Amino acid sequence: MAASDLADNFRRAMRTIASTVHIVTIHVDGTPMGITATAVSSLAMEPPSLLVCINERAAIHQVIGTRTHFCVNALHRDDVELAHHFSDYRMRELRFRTGTWLTDGEGPPRLAHAQASIVCALRQEHRFGTHSIFIGEVESVAVREDTDPLVYLDGVFGGFGG
Ligand SMILES: Cc1cc2nc3c(=O)[nH]c(=O)nc-3n(C[C@H](O)[C@H](O)[C@H](O)COP(=O)(O)O)c2cc1C
């Protein structure tokens, strides 16, 4: 199969795979940064850990590796606006002005109304192709009572039930 066909088929396949939507955040000398990311996965329970995959072109890529902590905020279905703001560089100014963000000193911002927010200590970084994989060990977790996560499927934001 030609490389371009393979890439197209892979893209098509990925469009059929539903993903939950997250905002990954860090704090950099008093300035919060964040990115919308679906390439997030739990990794292990021993120790509790997860990974996030970040494109080298994203602003956060240059600095996340210099931080001690990051936060994965899984979005609730109500927060589709946040997903748009954190995935569009023209909306950078609006990002942390939308929603209720909690900060604790230089710790990464937590979204108060996230479906779940998970603060991790950065443990490892691996480079592959255009992306880096950042592995974090879970240090604290907050979970929202009502379970209705924001899901991305076939280019559209929705809920678990469609
Ligand atoms: C639904 C969705 C999921 C995304 N997932 C990722 C991801 O997992 N990793 C990534 O690096 N970019 C991902 N992106 C792209 C970034 O959110 C986007 O390029 C962002 O604008 C980069 O941050 P910046 O504007 O601060 O440079 C995703 C975008 C959307 C709309």
Side-chain angles (χ1 to χ4, degrees):
M1 189 180 282
S4 61
D5 289 345
L6 183 66
D8 282 350
N9 285 346
F10 180 47
R11 211 169 280 119
R12 274 179 47 222
M14 292 310 294
R15 286 178 73 93
T16 69
I17 296 171
S19 310
T20 46
V21 184
H22 312 81
I23 296 176
V24 179
T25 60
I26 55 173
H27 226 144
V28 185
D29 302 331
T31 303
M33 292 183 77
I35 181 174
T36 298
T38 49
V40 174
S41 175
S42 60
L43 177 58
M45 287 306 292
E46 294 176 17
S49 50
L50 55 71
L51 62 83
V52 302
C53 306
I54 304 289
N55 191 307
E56 65 188 359
R57 285 190 295 209
I60 204 171
H61 185 273
Q62 296 156 19
V63 274
I64 189 169
T66 68
R67 302 294 92 191
T68 58
H69 291 79
F70 64 89
C71 182
V72 170
N73 297 276
L75 293 183
H76 189 272
R77 190 177 186 173
D78 292 344
D79 283 325
V80 65
E81 190 183 19
L82 279 168
H84 286 300
H85 287 178
F86 281 82
S87 60
D88 185 341
Y89 70 95
R90 293 164 301 184
M91 301 285 188
R92 271 185 195 158
E93 297 305 314
L94 290 176
R95 288 181 181 176
F96 290 96
R97 292 198 199 138
T98 310
T100 304
W101 291 94
L102 310 173
T103 48
D104 180 13
E106 264 300 292
R110 261 179 191 274
L111 183 65
H113 38 94
Q115 181 64 73
S117 63
I118 305 170
V119 175
C120 297
L122 179 62
R123 291 293 183 235
Q124 288 185 24
E125 177 179 346
H126 299 272
R127 184 73 196 208
F128 189 82
T130 54
H131 281 60
S132 293
I133 301 164
F134 297 93
I135 295 177
E137 192 170 338
V138 176
E139 286 200 347
S140 66
V141 178
V143 183
R144 185 164 158 170
E145 283 300 318
D146 57 317
T147 303
D148 194 6
L150 185 64
V151 174
Y152 191 67
L153 175 64
D154 202 14
V156 176
F157 292 101
F160 186 66

